[in-house]
């Protein structure tokens, strides 16, 4: 009842015992309060001030309240002892005219209630100018919080509070100084006190008890002396804790929770306290000798953080054998408790901050492990100092702006010393040099950042040698920084996205190259850009990575962002250009002379892009590279960015690895967690951010918690994931938001044109709106032109609608949850807020609804019922006039309601309805575009549609009682499609005129149709599907037509009457043939010589068990280009097919009785045999090979194929590839230079295939040197059995290393695609019943690779250098709908420029020129290291992953590690 300003009385003689929270604060007119609480233990009670300045007498007997909230008042002295555990004093409007309330506070402090209170909070009392010095009387006080008050200092007497553990000072903007308190209070937090300048130091001996938490956050005016004071106290506290821990004086420090932690501004002078600074978050070092312990530190950049910020460091160590152990994970420092008093649980750090912490338990554990290893080395007389790998991290659960700028250690030695270091030497006070081994010093020098080495002229006691050393380091660093890679600070998986982007970077090109990375929120654009930056930026004169460009520019202005970019590129601090529109000429000239690498992250407007890199990239020097990440593709297109890469979801294998790295700190889940991990991966659908967030969230949780968390995600999206995804949504305009929500809740998976029509009808300007959503990666369009959306975005859309009214679904704009829809309809809870209702479920059995159910929903624009269980016992009275889409499957009434108006209706669908007649006479539907009454079996009369001038699609399929079709349908001016298949009562279909726009009429299986007489304006582009019409066969009305697109008709003798050029495609089906019908091959034999068939280009013969053979005279079809035989009873094919001069496609599908195929493959460019389970023999041609290569050849799921036939098929494949390679080299077939003319084969993987391939590998990525004198090569891979979709792509990418060791991207081979054969099947899902071999030759790309290799060899010959170029190949499968199939094996078939049989000599392992096909040992090693775990099929994969990690660590930490790597690999292989 907070702020009920008119409330005067609150009384009750009884009260619920369950009441725990009673708040009546700021009820300024409350005069009487008398509530008889059953119990006040643990009660939270909040009351306002009283006129009489007296507390209500009814509360004066209370004790043990949990929290009591009220204004500061003299009446508080009347409260009894132990009245409340916590007293929260707030301001009240009645106090505005009073004097300083510190006088009142001084009075109440000695009172019984305050002397026994444990927690005291004084909150936003602006007229409180000081805390009384008698506060020391609060002997029971454990926590004191001062929030938003006008104090300028704190009383020193606070240090005498014997039990005080927590002191929080928040938002006290007038606070200027703090006395010596930090040594006496274990947890001391000062937050957003922007006027604070001084923190005094103690003149006494330090406390004998270490403090555990100390924070100065956003205290931006703190002077340098005070900062050194604070930092000195922090170091002293840490060293005290370390010594007491070593002496066991404070056993509590052995617990993980007792970390000593400090959070301070990162200011000048802090580097004096750190002995190992680094800008890398991960590094390897050896601990200095004689350490007592060490503290960790990191510097966080400014930015927004959430309410639960955790930091940490993980440690690994290597033993003397090189084995790696994960010894411990540090407890993360947590600074989230200070947010509990804030309404906004987020904070913006106004400058960089230093986090310093000492973890006694983990530190002790690590040092004991190191000493144990040293002791073992001493026994074995070996000198080995263990190496430790540390990885700092920040796990910030709500925001991702903050980054780790610097991290390192403070060493602690076992002797007493002043915490202030001696600035004149590099030794501690006992003469013990604080050193890092020489290799680590070098690493430290390389990885340090110039910002941490700047000379500070204000610092005192600076010797000449110090200055010279610092300047030298800066100069050396400037040189070294561009010779070593930056390091990534987070887990990253090299996937398809990375390789595609890396391959497009042209290192040696002098052109300015701008690459756009575009995709949905959380898809990994920034991480990918960081990975590319890490890989390439060190090779450029200067580089800059600008994070969150849009947000930074909004916060600080575009000039700030532009100046920041220029300052970084030019190496000048605080460069201010004044305006982003005009760049100083001296700056412009310097930029144009530099080759730079820039990443602009999260750019959302063209203005930003042009301001940062210039219109047309005019500011950038030759050879510069820019990567721009954005969620809006239109920004890239408008900015002239031609190389745009859409970042796609990770596949399931890579997703599992990334998730496991965050959840288990290794590439694979822990035992027993695989199924749970797959559940999590299935939820996020390949979104990297979601994988990281969810993995980190589930880390260290037990199985029952995993199940609970995953179940929760079904109902409530993860907050951090949802926040990232909503950024794109929040940038949409109102129409775009409506379109997005409609798609998310209702139209995902629907055709784009249908959605566009409906949403245009709703006034949302759908064409431009859908395009905008596509540009912002919020939706996508699949190969069937259906709009799809990522599951996480769909869940976000549902959550947005749910938040409109969490408790009352009837108050929401859209309803789609089955239970909520049923509740609203059944209980008549709809309101004018409801715009869309969508119901698709079987949960609502026989739902009885009121006839006036839609009366309260006048704004309903879309009504979709895909459920047939709704009933209207009393009928339906009305439908809303605002409807744009009315789709009701199983509509239960015989007619439409008496009150309806469909003036606005765009789509009208009542499939499977009980309607008998829609309306009488002509009705006006001016906006109607689609009408679907399919399978309304009781429909007797077709409606008059003359009042529907915009109607395009009419469907009357399965209307079994329909006797005739209203002639008005054929007169519709925009009619395109008319379907009336399976209208079994239909006898006549006639019209003297027909709309010229009609291009498809389907009347198949209208078994009683006796007359068809429709006067088509033209046959061009017409698709006409008819049944046999009575005894006369073909309708005479169609015999004059020509140039139909497709004609479907039952196999019949009457087809001989069709004219020449009747149709491009004839599809022969078999309907209602009598069982005693003779073999229909006789009929076919009659038809083939007829005019229509001799001119047809495509012939499909579909589903006929009585067709036992294809007539030999099929060779007469001289115009035939494509022949498809589907589900017929043939046992073989006629050899005469090879004489069809124009035949390019032959498909044989589901012919279960087919046993043999003659030698046809050499004569048909594309030959597909699919699901022919009885096929055993494929004959080889006795003649020589064709002089024209064939391009596509498939034997899929032909499981009975014998070994000899398999070799025949494989030989034909190799012959075709060899022929293509020779013709390509001789330019005999110029068409092979085009990307689309790949020669490709898809065959079973059977015994004997291995003899055809000279280089094969179970790794999907490897490096090799091409054999000399190659004419070309073919790729192959073996796919495992499993389900695949209707769009399966394969491919191989190639990178070339030149003589300088630089990697040049050559090309990516076009992926072989085998999805065309699925369109005849209702279910486009193929199941590979066995492993299959994919073999393809890409002439254009192969030629390009070989020419590049020869060019490098020629350069080497001129330079008298011996270098054979290395090629890295990476095979991949991009399967868009299913992920069961994997790459089992891959490799090459080499082709040489000599004539010879394609059959290899099986008795040797050499090519015909005696050149052994081997991979050098160095390349074999590289092959193992380069291969990504996502594509490997190996045993003991977990052990191999650790071996790979160990090899990579060895390479990174050693200047000459090749010998060590080779020995490690040899030992692993043994």
């Amino acid at each position: 009842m907070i702020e009920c300003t008119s409330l005067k009385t609150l009384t009750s003689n009884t009260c619920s015992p369950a009441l725990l929270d009673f708040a009546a604060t700021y009820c300024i007119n409350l005069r009487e309060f008398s509530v008889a609480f059953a119990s006040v233990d643990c009660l939270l009670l909040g009351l306002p001030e009283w006129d009489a300045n007296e507390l209500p007498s009814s509360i004066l007997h209370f004790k043990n309240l949990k929290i009591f909230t009220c204004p500061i008042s003299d009446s508080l002295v009347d409260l009894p002892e132990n009245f409340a555990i916590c007293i929260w004093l707030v301001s009240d409007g009645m106090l505005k005219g009073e004097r300083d309330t510190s006088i009142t506070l001084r009075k109440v402090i000695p009172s019984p209630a305050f002397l026994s209170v444990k927690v005291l909070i004084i909150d936003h009392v602006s007229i409180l100018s000081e805390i009384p010095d008698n506060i020391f009387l609060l002997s029971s006080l454990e926590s004191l919080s001062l929030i938003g008050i006008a104090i300028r200092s704190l009383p020193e007497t606070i240090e005498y509070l014997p039990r005080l553990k927590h002191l929080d000072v928040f938002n006290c903007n007038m606070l200027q100084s703090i006395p010596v308190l930090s040594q006496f209070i274990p947890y001391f937090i000062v937050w957003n006190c922007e006027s604070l300048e001084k923190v005094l130091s103690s003149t006494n001996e330090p406390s004998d008890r270490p403090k555990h938490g100390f924070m100065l956050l956003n205290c931006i005016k703190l002077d340098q002396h005070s900062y050194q004071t604070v930092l000195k106290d922090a170091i002293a506290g840490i060293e005290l804790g370390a010594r007491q821990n070593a002496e066991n004086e404070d056993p509590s420090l052995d617990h993980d929770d007792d970390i000593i932690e400090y959070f301070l501004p990162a200011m000048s002078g802090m580097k004096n306290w750190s002995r190992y600074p680094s800008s890398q978050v991960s590094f390897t070092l050896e601990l200095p000798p004689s350490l007592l312990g060490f503290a960790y530190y990191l510097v966080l950049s400014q930015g927004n953080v959430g309410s639960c910020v955790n930091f940490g460091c993980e440690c690994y160590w290597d033993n003397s054998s090189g084995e790696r152990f994960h010894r411990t994970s540090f407890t993360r420092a947590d600074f989230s408790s200070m947010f509990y008093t804030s309404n906004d649980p987020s904070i913006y750090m106004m400058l960089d901050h230093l986090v310093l912490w000492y973890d006694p338990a983990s530190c002790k554990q690590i040092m004991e492990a190191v000493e144990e290893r040293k002791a073992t080395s001493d026994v074995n007389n070996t000198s080995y100092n263990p190496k430790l790998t540390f990885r700092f991290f920040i796990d910030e659960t709500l925001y991702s702006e903050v980054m780790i700028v610097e991290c390192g250690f403070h060493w602690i030695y076992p002797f007493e010393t002043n915490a202030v270091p001696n600035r004149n030497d590099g030794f501690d006070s006992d003469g013990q040099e604080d050193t890092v081994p020489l290799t680590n010093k070098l690493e430290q020098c390389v990885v340090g950042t110039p910002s941490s080495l700047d000379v500070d002229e204000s610092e005192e006691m600076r010797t000449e040698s110090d200055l010279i050393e610092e300047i030298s380091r800066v100069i050396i660093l400037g040189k070294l920084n561009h010779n070593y890679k930056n390091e990534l600070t987070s887990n990253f998986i090299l996937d398809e996205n990375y390789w595609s982007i890396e391959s497009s970077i042209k290192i040696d090109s002098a052109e300015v190259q701008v690459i756009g990375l575009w995709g949905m929120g959380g898809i990994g654009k920034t991480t990918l850009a960081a990975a590319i930056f890490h890989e390439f930026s060190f090779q450029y004169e200067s580089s800059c990575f600008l994070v969150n460009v849009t947000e930074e520019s909004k916060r600080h202005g575009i000039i700030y962002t532009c100046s920041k970019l220029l300052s970084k590129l030019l190496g000048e601090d605080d460069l201010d250009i004044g305006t982003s529109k005009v760049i100083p000429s001296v700056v412009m000239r310097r930029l144009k002379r530099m080759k730079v690498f820039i990443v602009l992250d999260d750019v959302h407007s063209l203005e930003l892009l042009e301001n940062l890199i210039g219109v047309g990239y005019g500011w950038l020097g030759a050879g510069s590279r820019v990567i721009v990440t954005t969620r809006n593709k239109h920004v890239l297109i408008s900015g002239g960015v031609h190389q745009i890469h859409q970042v796609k979801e990770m596949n399931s294998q890579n997703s599992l690895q990334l998730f496991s790295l965050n959840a288990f700190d290794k590439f694979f889940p822990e035992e027993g967690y695989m199924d749970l991990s797959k559940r999590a991966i299935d939820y996020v659908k390949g979104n990297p951010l979601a994988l990281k967030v969810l993995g980190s969230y589930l880390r260290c949780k037990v199985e029952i918690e995993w199940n609970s968390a995953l179940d929760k995600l079904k109902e409530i999206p993860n907050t951090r994931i949802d926040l990232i995804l909503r950024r794109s949504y929040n940038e949409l305009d109102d129409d775009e938001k409506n379109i997005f929500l409609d798609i998310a809740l209702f139209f995902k998976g629907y055709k784009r044109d249908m959605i566009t029509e409906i949403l245009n009808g709703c006034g949302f300007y759908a064409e431009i709106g859908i395009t905008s959503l596509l540009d912002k990666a919020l939706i996508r369009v699949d190969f069937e032109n259906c709009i799809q959306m990522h599951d996480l975005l769909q869940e976000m859309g549902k959550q947005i609608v749910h938040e409109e009214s969490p408790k009352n679904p009837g108050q929401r704009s859209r309803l789609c949850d089955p239970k909520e829809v049923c509740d609203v309809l059944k209980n008549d809870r709809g309101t004018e807020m409801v715009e869309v209702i969508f119901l698709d479920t079987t949960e609502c059995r026989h739902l009885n609804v009121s006839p006036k159910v839609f009366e309260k929903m006048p704004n309903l624009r879309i009504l979709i019922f895909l459920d047939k269980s709704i009933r209207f016992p009393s009928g339906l009275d009305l439908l809303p006039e605002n409807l744009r889409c009315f789709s009701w499957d199983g509509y239960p009434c015989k007619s439409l309601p008496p009150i309806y108006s469909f003036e606005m209706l765009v789509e009208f669908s009542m499939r499977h309805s009980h309607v008998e007649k829609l309306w009488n006479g002509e009705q006006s539907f001016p906006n109607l575009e689609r009408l679907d009454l399919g399978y309304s079996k009781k429909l007797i009369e077709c409606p008059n549609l003359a009042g529907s001038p915009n109607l395009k699609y009419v469907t009357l399929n399965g209307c079994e009682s329909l006797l005739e079709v209203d002639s008005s349908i054929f007169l519709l001016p925009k009619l395109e499609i008319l379907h009336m298949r399976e209208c079994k009562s239909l006898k006549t279909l006639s019209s003297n005129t027909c709309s010229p726009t009609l291009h498809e009429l389907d009347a198949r299986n209208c078994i009683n149709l006796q007359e068809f007489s429709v006067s088509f304006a033209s046959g061009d582009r017409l698709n006409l599907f008819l049944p046999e019409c009575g005894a006369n066969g073909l309708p005479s009305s169609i015999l004059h037509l020509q140039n139909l697109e497709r004609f479907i008709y039952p196999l019949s003798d009457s087809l001989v009457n069709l004219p020449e050029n009747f149709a491009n495609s004839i599809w022969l089906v078999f309907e209602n043939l009598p069982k005693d019908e003779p073999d229909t091959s006789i009929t076919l034999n009659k038809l083939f010589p007829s005019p229509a068939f001799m001119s047809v280009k495509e012939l499909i013969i579909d589903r006929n068990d009585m067709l036992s053979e294809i007539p030999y005279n099929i060779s007469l079809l001289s115009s035939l280009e494509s022949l498809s035989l589907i589900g017929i009873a043939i046992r073989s094919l006629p050899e005469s097919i090879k004489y069809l001069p124009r035949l390019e496609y032959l498909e044989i599908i589901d012919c279960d009785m087919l046993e043999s195929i003659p030698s046809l493959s050499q004569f048909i460019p594309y030959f597909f045999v699919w699901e022919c389970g009885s096929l055993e023999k494929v004959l080889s041609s006795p003649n020589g090979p064709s002089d024209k290569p064939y391009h596509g050849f498939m034997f899929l799921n032909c499981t009975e194929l014998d070994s000899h036939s398999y070799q025949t098929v494989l030989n034909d494949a190799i012959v075709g590839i060899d022929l293509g390679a020779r013709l390509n080299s001789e330019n005999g077939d110029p068409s092979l230079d085009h990307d689309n003319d790949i020669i490709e084969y898809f065959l079973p993987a059977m015994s004997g295939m291995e003899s055809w391939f000279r280089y094969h590998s179970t790794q999907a990525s490897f490096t090799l040197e091409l054999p000399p004198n190659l004419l070309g090569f073919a790729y192959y891979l073996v796919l495992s059995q499993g389900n695949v979709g209707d769009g399966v792509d394969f491919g191989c990418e190639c990178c070339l290393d030149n003589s300088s060791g630089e990697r040049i991207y050559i090309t990516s081979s076009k992926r072989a695609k085998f999805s065309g054969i699925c369109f005849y099947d209702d279910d486009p899902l193929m199941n590979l019943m066995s492993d299959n071999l994919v073999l393809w030759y890409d002439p254009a790309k192969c030629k390009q690779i070989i020419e590049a290799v020869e060019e490098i060899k020629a350069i080497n010959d001129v330079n008298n250098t011996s270098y054979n170029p290395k090629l890295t190949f990476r095979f991949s499968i991009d399967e868009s709908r299913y992920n069961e199939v994997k790459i089992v094996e891959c490799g090459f078939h080499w082709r040489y420029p000599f004539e010879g049989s394609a059959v290899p000599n099986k008795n040797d392992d050499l090519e015909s020129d005696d050149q052994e096909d081997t991979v050098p040992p160095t390349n074999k090693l590289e092959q193992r290291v380069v291969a990504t775990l996502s594509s490997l099929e190996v045993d003991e994969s977990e052990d191999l992953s650790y071996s790979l990690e160990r090899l990579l660590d060895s390479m990174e930490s050693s200047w000459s590690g090749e010998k060590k790597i080779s020995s490690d690999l040899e030992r692993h292989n043994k």
Side-chain angles (χ1 to χ4, degrees), residues 201 227-237 273 418-420:
S201 178
Y227 180 70
Q228 291 295 331
T229 297
V230 171
L231 200 54
K232 175 184 175 181
D233 285 349
I235 297 298
W273 304 96
N418 192 334
V420 180

Side-chain angles (χ1 to χ4, degrees), residues 460-471:
E460 300 176 357
M461 301 175 62
R462 196 150 178 84
T463 67
E464 183 179 355
S465 61
D466 288 336
L467 192 60
I468 292 174
E469 180 181 1
E470 187 114 13
I471 293 173

Side-chain angles (χ1 to χ4, degrees), residues 112 140 919 949:
S140 298
W919 53 75

Side-chain angles (χ1 to χ4, degrees), residues 276 282-286 324 387-390 440 443 1453:
Y276 191 91
S282 180
F283 43 79
T284 301
L285 53 78
E286 298 172 2
R324 169 152 292 191
K387 297 179 180 178
L388 297 172
T389 296
F390 292 92
N440 293 331
E443 181 184 358
S1453 63

Side-chain angles (χ1 to χ4, degrees), residues 890-1148:
Y891 177 75
C893 303
K894 294 182 179 181
S895 62
L896 291 174
I899 301 176
Y900 68 89
S901 176
F902 289 156
E903 294 283 332
M904 310 298 293
L905 199 63
V906 175
E907 172 148 346
F908 185 177
S909 174
M910 291 200 310
R911 296 171 62 84
H912 301 280
S913 71
H914 295 265
V915 70
E916 297 178 359
K917 184 178 181 181
L918 288 178
W919 53 75
N920 293 316
E922 180 181 331
Q923 294 288 328
S924 176
F925 298 92
N927 296 299
L928 186 65
E929 297 188 17
R930 293 176 184 266
L931 173 66
D932 188 352
L933 301 174
Y935 302 97
S936 296
K937 296 183 178 182
K938 298 181 181 181
L939 183 67
I940 300 173
E941 183 178 327
C942 178
N944 186 323
L945 298 173
S948 307
N950 290 301
L951 191 59
K952 298 177 182 177
Y953 311 100
V954 176
T955 301
L956 300 170
N957 292 336
C959 294
E960 297 179 354
S961 302
L962 187 66
L963 299 176
E964 62 179 354
V965 174
D966 194 274
S967 60
S968 63
I969 291 179
F970 292 99
L971 302 177
L972 295 171
K974 295 184 179 181
L975 182 67
E976 297 178 8
I977 295 176
L978 174 59
H979 285 174
M980 55 195 74
R981 191 167 60 247
E982 299 178 13
C983 293
K984 297 179 180 180
S985 299
L986 189 66
K987 295 182 178 181
T988 303
L989 198 58
S990 61
S991 176
N992 294 328
T993 58
C994 184
S995 172
T997 58
L998 181 66
H999 64 78
E1000 182 168 310
L1001 189 152
D1002 186 356
R1004 283 176 289 173
N1005 294 322
C1006 294
I1007 57 177
N1008 289 307
L1009 187 67
Q1010 301 299 315
E1011 180 185 356
F1012 178 86
S1013 177
V1014 177
S1015 299
F1016 294 102
S1018 170
D1020 293 349
R1021 294 180 57 249
L1022 178 64
N1023 292 272
L1024 183 59
F1025 313 148
L1026 296 178
E1028 220 171 351
C1029 298
N1032 297 325
L1034 276 175
S1036 59
S1037 60
I1038 71 169
L1039 295 180
H1040 70 283
L1041 297 176
Q1042 285 189 325
N1043 300 321
L1044 274 72
E1045 185 67 29
R1046 174 165 288 172
F1047 179 60
I1048 299 181
Y1049 197 79
L1051 182 61
S1052 167
D1053 291 342
S1054 61
L1055 292 173
V1056 297
N1057 299 319
L1058 292 175
E1060 187 178 5
N1061 297 323
F1062 176 72
N1064 290 325
S1065 170
I1066 296 178
W1067 192 327
L1068 300 177
V1069 295
F1070 300 87
E1071 299 177 356
N1072 307 311
L1073 290 173
K1075 294 183 179 179
D1076 57 351
E1077 181 78 11
D1079 192 330
T1080 50
S1081 60
I1082 299 173
T1083 305
L1084 270 182
N1085 193 62
K1086 295 178 183 178
L1087 295 178
F1088 285 160
S1090 65
F1093 281 82
M1094 293 186 69
S1095 59
V1096 75
K1097 294 181 179 179
E1098 180 185 49
L1099 177 62
I1100 303 170
I1101 304 174
D1102 188 5
R1103 311 292 173 188
N1104 184 3
D1105 292 337
M1106 290 177 286
L1107 181 62
S1108 62
E1109 66 177 0
I1110 302 298
Y1112 195 83
N1113 67 344
I1114 194 173
S1115 59
L1116 296 174
L1117 308 186
S1118 56
S1119 298
L1120 194 65
E1121 298 174 1
S1122 173
L1123 173 62
S1124 299
L1125 308 175
I1126 308 169
I1128 57 180
I1130 58 174
R1131 285 178 168 78
S1132 185
L1133 295 175
E1135 290 192 14
S1136 59
I1137 288 179
K1138 67 184 177 184
Y1139 300 119
L1140 291 167
R1142 298 185 180 180
L1143 188 65
E1144 294 187 356
Y1145 293 87
L1146 174 59
E1147 298 176 323
I1148 308 172

Side-chain angles (χ1 to χ4, degrees), residues 1112 1130-1138 1146 1148 1154-1164 1167 1169 1175 1177-1182 1193 1195 1205 1208-1209 1212:
Y1112 195 83
I1130 58 174
R1131 285 178 168 78
S1132 185
L1133 295 175
E1135 290 192 14
S1136 59
I1137 288 179
K1138 67 184 177 184
L1146 174 59
I1148 308 172
L1154 184 68
E1155 297 175 351
S1156 66
I1157 294 177
S1159 54
L1160 299 176
S1161 61
Q1162 299 185 43
F1163 306 94
I1164 304 170
F1167 187 12
V1169 183
L1175 181 63
K1177 296 186 181 299
V1178 179
L1179 303 181
S1180 179
S1181 174
F1193 189 36
F1195 277 75
S1205 295
T1208 297
V1209 172
D1212 285 350

Side-chain angles (χ1 to χ4, degrees), residues 476-504:
I476 294 172
L477 179 65
K479 299 295 184 182
L480 291 178
N481 194 43
H482 295 292
N483 292 298
Y484 294 90
K485 293 182 181 180
N486 301 295
E487 294 298 327
L488 294 176
T489 61
S490 62
N491 293 321
F492 180 70
I493 300 294
L494 299 177
D495 66 349
E496 298 285 339
N497 291 303
Y498 174 82
W499 293 115
S500 178
I501 300 166
E502 186 204 48
S503 63
S504 63

Side-chain angles (χ1 to χ4, degrees), residues 658-671:
L658 183 59
F659 176 80
S660 299
L661 283 171
N662 287 274
F664 307 105
D665 200 29
K666 59 182 182 179
F667 284 107
F668 301 97
E670 299 281 3
E671 184 177 355

